[in-house]
């Protein structure tokens, strides 16, 4: 039995850490970190095999945060998993910190690859999936993409590679929050119909509510049973999810909460159902 | 899985010493040898495996060869992913596409992650020939040299190429090796041992020293013979390791030179000429002349014609030295 309530509570804690570390840093990406919190929680606290005491464990599942600007959600998940002390989150974006503005694998155990330049992570995930298969290691690779990010051509090169090499140990998740920096994806550069595109590229596609933990868990589980092709979970999400003043607003893409906004956020996140 | 049908034939070679051959051919053969020794070696290509000679490896180890198709950016990312699971990937395509199209992938994903990716690009320089400017990389060394953590190697002949490929495998970290299309003469002596970051002095000149890499080492040696005969004491050094630069050897050369000539099949902007100028101007300024392409694209022609056209010849080296002393 999956303890959905436990995962929902973890998600709430992760959102709390995200807004706190961002407000403390005074800069960073709020909206896209919050929208991905449920997905990342399901991966780190339910689905993935990993060992915070042994980050290089060869049998571990891999997570590639292709949308690297959502570093805070990754850092929160790593801290709450026990990769490092939670107090380190206070150093986010500060000189000398291993918690760089965008994740750097050279600095921080638990980060699999450096990301932040959009569009590159799915290729790396393909390489990892190939490498694991070649080594006979029965681990899975997860890759989180942004919906604006998939405007990058390289994503589609990688989409071809994943299906050409039948990478069924690869599962991509699209944080489909419909917003990017300059506004709605549909205004900036339409990506729809996203499901049809991946289907046409030879992928197995699920569409779920990316804030419904049961649906996330189910999709991750079923994805594992699909053989012969990669899976993408198109997760319908709300940018800034969990804090009413950030929700659905493009302008909270790349700004940190102010002191006042943090107070509102913490109140909502502690009382709310997340 | 990445089927390759082409005319490349595998040759058994363990010793490249004394062989006049294209460095890309040496690469193709060495890769197969390496593949036999080390099961972690994997090879990627972007639909140019017959030209880059990775087809040899594909034929021998089909399960460890991945044709990524005409998508160089993805190829570099996939190579990084393979490296991060403990494989030693060699990714190959033409030098301009490897370093140009995928530059940011190399910077962000490979080097910033310190992923153990070996990028071995062929068709570096003007000797690509008839295909013309679009396929002639005259900027690749510059593009790779500016990235922190990248090692940049431009071997002079088949013997050095084979050694450099083995050294790159033993070294952990990103490496760029630039190879050529056309046949080049053997220049390195039998007892030569390639080492990353180490230059090789054929002879230390008291008047002039020519610092070269790639096929310009052979031209430098030809030029030095003539100059020495004419009473200008001329030395030659092979700086195949553009980065890390062998600063100790360079300082020694600078202290023994009235003139330093650099010679490369690359733009004078950003390659070994720039690297040498940067170092000596800060540490031991000596007059310098750089031989290379001069802020220009290439063009179509036979490779021999092109070397002449762009002054990448022993004759131009000799002329440049004489002009300097005639001043
Ligand atoms: C190659 C590249 N171009 C531009 C940027 C700047 N940038 C950061 S986030 C972003 C928008 C991303 O939108 P989306 O993928 O939808 O992210 P999310 O909504 O999940 O935050 C852009 C353009 C970047 N990081 N990388
Ligand atoms: Mg978005």
């Amino acid at each position: 039995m999956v303890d959905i309530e436990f995962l929902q509570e973890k998600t709430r804690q992760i959102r709390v850490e995200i807004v706190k570390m961002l407000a403390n840093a005074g800069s960073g990406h709020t909206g896209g970190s919050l929208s991905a919190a449920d997905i990342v929680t399901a991966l780190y606290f339910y689905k993935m095999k990993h060992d915070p005491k042994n980050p290089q464990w060869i049998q571990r599942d891999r997570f590639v945060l292709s949308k690297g600007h959502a570093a805070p959600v990754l850092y929160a998940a790593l801290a709450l998993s026990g990769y490092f002390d939670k107090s380190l989150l206070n150093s986010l974006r500060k000189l000398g910190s291993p918690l760089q503005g965008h994740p750097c694998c050279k600095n921080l155990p638990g980060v699999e690859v450096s990301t932040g330049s959009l569009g590159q992570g799915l290729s790396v995930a393909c390489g990892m999936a190939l490498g694991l298969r070649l080594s006979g290691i029965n681990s899975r690779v997860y890759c989180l993409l942004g919906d604006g990010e998939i405007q990058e051509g390289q994503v589609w090169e990688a989409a071809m590679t994943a299906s050409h090499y039948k990478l069924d140990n690869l599962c991509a998740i699209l944080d489909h929050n419909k917003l990017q920096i300059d506004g709605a994806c549909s205004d900036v550069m339409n990506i729809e119909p996203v499901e049809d595109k991946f289907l046409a590229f030879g992928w197995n596609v699920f569409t779920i509510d990316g804030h419904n933990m049961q649906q996330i868990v189910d999709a991750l589980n079923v994805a594992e049973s699909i053989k012969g092709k990669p899976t993408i979970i198109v997760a319908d999400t709300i940018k800034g999810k969990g804090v009413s003043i950030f929700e659905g607003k493009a302008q909270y893409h790349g700004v940190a909460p102010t002191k006042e906004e943090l107070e509102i956020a913490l109140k909502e996140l502690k009382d709310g159902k997340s | 899985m990445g089927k390759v049908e082409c005319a490349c034939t595998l040759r058994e070679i363990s010793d490249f010493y004394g062989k006049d051959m294209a460095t890309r051919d040496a690469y193709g053969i060495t890769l197969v040898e390496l593949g036999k020794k080390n099961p972690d070696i994997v090879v990627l290509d972007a639909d140019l495996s017959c030209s880059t000679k990775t087809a040899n490896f594909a034929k021998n180890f089909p399960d460890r060869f991945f044709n990524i198709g005409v998508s160089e950016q993805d190829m570099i990312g996939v190579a990084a992913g393979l490296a991060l699971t403990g494989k030693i990937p060699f990714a190959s395509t033409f030098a301009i596409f490897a370093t140009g199209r995928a530059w940011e992938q190399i910077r962000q994903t490979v080097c910033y992650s310190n992923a153990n990716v070996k990028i071995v690009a062929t068709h570096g320089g003007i000797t690509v020939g008839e295909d013309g400017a679009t396929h002639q990389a005259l900027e690749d060394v510059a593009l790779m040299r500016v990235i922190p953590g990248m090692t940049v190697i431009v071997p002079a002949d088949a013997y050095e190429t084979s050694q450099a490929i083995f050294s790159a495998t033993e070294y952990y970290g990103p490496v760029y090796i630039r190879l050529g299309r056309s046949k080049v003469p053997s220049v390195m002596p039998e007892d030569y041992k390639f080492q990353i970051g180490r230059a090789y002095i054929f002879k230390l000149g008291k008047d002039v020293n020519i610092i070269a890499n790639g096929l310009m080492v052979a031209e430098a040696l030809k030029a030095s013979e003539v100059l020495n005969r004419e009473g200008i004491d001329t030395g030659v050094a092979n700086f195949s390791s553009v980065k890390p630069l062998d600063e100790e050897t360079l300082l020694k050369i600078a202290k023994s030179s009235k003139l330093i000539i650099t010679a490369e099949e690359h733009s004078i902007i950003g390659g070994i000429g720039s690297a040498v100028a940067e170092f000596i101007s800060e540490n031991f300024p000596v007059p310098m002349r750089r031989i290379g392409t001069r802020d220009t694209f290439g063009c179509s022609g036979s490779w021999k014609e092109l070397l002449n056209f762009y002054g990448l010849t022993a004759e131009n080296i000799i002329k440049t030295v004489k002009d300097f002393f005639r001043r």
Side-chain angles (χ1 to χ4, degrees):
Chain A
M1 261 305 286
V2 188
D3 189 344
I4 296 294
E5 270 176 35
F6 163 80
L7 292 174
Q8 287 168 335
E9 170 56 17
K10 273 288 170 215
T11 307
R12 188 192 65 78
Q13 291 170 13
I14 283 188
R15 287 206 165 93
V16 167
E17 294 306 331
I18 289 170
V19 290
K20 283 210 285 202
M21 79 175 99
L22 282 166
N24 183 64
S27 70
H29 297 82
T30 304
S33 298
L34 290 171
S35 64
D38 311 75
I39 297 158
V40 172
T41 303
L43 287 171
Y44 275 87
F45 293 92
Y46 169 68
K47 190 65 201 167
M48 290 203 306
K49 290 183 291 187
H50 65 117
D51 180 2
K53 297 285 162 278
N54 183 11
Q56 291 299 316
W57 180 38
I58 197 132
Q59 304 283 346
R60 74 192 183 280
D61 291 331
R62 320 280 173 126
F63 176 63
V64 176
L65 181 68
S66 192
K67 43 169 275 186
H69 58 278
V73 69
L74 175 60
Y75 296 155
L78 291 175
L80 296 190
S81 298
Y83 281 85
F84 50 82
D85 196 84
K86 225 171 73 174
S87 61
L88 198 59
L89 298 175
N90 291 326
S91 70
L92 174 70
R93 291 175 163 253
K94 302 257 155 70
L95 186 65
S97 171
L99 275 59
Q100 292 288 296
H102 293 78
C104 176
C105 64
K106 289 192 288 189
N107 296 338
L108 194 61
V111 176
E112 296 285 358
V113 61
S114 304
T115 53
S117 173
L118 293 170
Q120 303 193 18
L122 192 58
S123 300
V124 180
C126 286
M128 289 175 169
L130 277 173
L132 291 169
R133 184 167 76 189
L134 212 52
S135 301
I137 296 173
N138 192 20
S139 300
R140 294 180 62 72
V141 182
Y142 295 94
C143 177
L144 184 66
L145 295 161
D147 49 4
E149 176 181 19
I150 66 169
Q151 292 158 354
E152 284 283 358
Q154 190 187 346
V155 172
W156 301 99
E157 297 180 1
M160 266 188 270
T161 296
S163 83
H164 181 82
Y165 285 105
K166 302 184 168 55
L167 298 178
D168 53 18
N169 55 347
L170 169 68
C171 177
I173 302 140
L174 182 70
D175 185 356
H176 198 4
N177 59 27
K178 282 71 146 205
L179 292 175
Q180 52 192 111
I181 295 183
D182 284 349
C185 300
S186 57
D187 292 332
V188 176
M189 179 52 65
N190 188 30
I191 58 167
E192 305 300 339
V194 110
E195 282 93 345
D196 291 351
K197 287 192 173 78
F198 277 97
L199 279 171
F201 274 73
W203 287 58
N204 174 54
V205 182
F206 295 133
T207 303
I208 61 161
D209 174 351
H211 300 307
N212 181 315
M213 191 53 78
Q214 187 70 56
Q215 287 189 25
I216 299 172
V217 161
D218 289 345
L220 290 171
N221 285 336
V222 180
E224 195 164 3
S225 66
I226 307 285
K227 297 297 166 208
K229 51 166 87 171
T231 289
I232 182 159
I233 299 170
V234 177
D236 245 307
T237 55
I238 296 168
K239 202 152 173 169
K241 172 71 181 177
V243 182
S244 58
I245 51 172
F246 304 151
E247 283 189 3
K249 296 205 180 106
Q251 60 267 37
Y252 282 98
H253 168 86
V255 294
T258 61
K259 243 182 162 176
E260 296 71 41
E261 288 168 342
L262 177 64
E263 258 174 53
I264 299 169
L266 288 178
K267 205 184 278 164
E268 290 190 16
L269 287 170
K270 284 197 171 127
D271 305 338
K273 293 171 283 305
S274 183
Chain B
M1 212 164 274
K3 279 207 187 57
V4 181
E5 302 289 345
C6 62
C8 315
T9 51
L10 169 72
R11 278 165 291 175
E12 277 279 324
I13 290 228
S14 47
D15 191 356
F16 288 87
Y17 168 67
K19 298 260 179 352
D20 296 348
M21 65 195 292
T23 50
R24 63 175 167 148
D25 285 321
Y27 170 50
I29 295 160
T30 304
L31 260 188
V32 175
E33 293 297 312
L34 209 53
K36 289 180 196 158
K37 290 196 173 76
N38 189 336
D40 286 333
I41 303 287
V42 294
V43 176
L44 301 93
D45 207 298
D47 199 29
L48 284 168
S49 65
C50 294
S51 300
T52 64
K53 304 301 173 189
T54 62
N56 292 353
F57 185 93
K59 222 178 271 176
N60 282 271
F61 308 100
D63 295 343
R64 287 195 268 147
F65 174 78
F66 303 105
N67 204 327
I68 303 297
V70 196
S71 50
E72 296 75 16
Q73 302 178 343
D74 186 43
M75 175 174 73
I76 294 300
V78 172
L82 282 159
L84 292 167
T85 59
K87 305 295 172 199
I88 307 174
F90 280 76
S92 291
T93 177
F94 289 180
I96 194 61
F97 309 136
T99 64
R101 179 66 61 99
W103 185 84
E104 207 220 346
Q105 283 71 16
I106 296 170
R107 177 187 187 268
Q108 312 278 24
T109 295
V110 174
C111 293
Y112 190 47
S113 297
N114 195 33
N116 193 22
V117 174
K118 317 302 171 189
I119 299 164
V120 183
T122 65
H123 296 62
I126 205 81
T127 47
V128 166
E130 291 78 357
D131 274 350
T134 54
H135 285 54
Q136 295 159 341
L138 298 171
E139 308 89 354
D140 56 316
V141 173
L143 287 170
M144 292 297 97
R145 195 166 75 86
V146 288
I147 305 178
M150 183 55 105
T151 291
V152 182
I153 310 291
V154 185
D157 66 4
Y159 189 40
E160 183 171 43
T161 298
S162 180
Q163 292 193 37
I165 299 295
F166 272 97
S167 295
T169 310
E170 280 151 28
Y171 165 86
Y172 187 94
V175 177
Y176 176 66
I177 299 179
R178 183 217 220 197
L179 305 179
R181 169 172 184 252
S182 59
K183 188 165 148 181
V184 289
S186 155
V187 287
M188 302 313 289
E190 191 165 12
D191 61 358
Y192 174 63
K193 289 274 168 290
F194 173 84
Q195 252 182 294
I196 291 173
R198 187 65 61 82
Y200 178 81
I201 297 182
F202 289 90
K203 169 191 148 89
L204 189 63
K206 291 196 191 72
D207 298 317
V208 180
N209 283 287
I210 311 167
I211 289 172
N213 61 25
L215 57 70
M216 293 308 290
V217 174
E219 296 302 308
L221 288 168
K222 273 191 254 169
S224 75
E225 260 179 50
V226 175
L227 291 166
N228 280 315
R229 234 185 287 130
E230 298 186 10
I232 302 175
D233 195 59
T234 305
V236 175
N238 175 5
F239 272 65
S240 51
S241 190
V242 177
K243 187 181 171 184
L245 191 66
D246 185 346
E247 297 183 344
E248 199 187 309
T249 300
L250 188 49
L251 192 62
K252 184 164 118 186
I253 290 171
K255 287 180 174 166
S256 168
S257 304
K258 298 188 182 107
L259 170 68
I260 287 178
I261 299 277
T262 59
E264 61 195 311
E265 190 194 358
H266 185 273
S267 171
I268 54 165
I269 302 170
I272 189 65
S274 288
V276 168
E278 286 158 16
F279 178 82
I280 67 166
S281 62
E282 284 187 348
N283 294 282
F284 197 89
V286 173
M288 247 191 96
R289 294 290 182 271
R290 291 169 298 159
I291 291 181
T293 56
R294 308 192 75 83
D295 200 15
T296 179
F297 292 108
C299 63
S300 291
S302 78
W303 63 269
K304 281 191 179 145
E305 288 172 324
L306 289 170
L307 289 174
N308 267 316
F309 185 76
Y310 289 101
L312 304 175
T313 56
E315 292 70 39
N316 191 32
I317 295 174
I318 294 164
K319 180 179 179 301
T320 306
V321 170
K322 289 187 176 167
D323 284 352
F324 174 83
F325 285 112
R326 209 175 286 140
R327 272 190 319 175

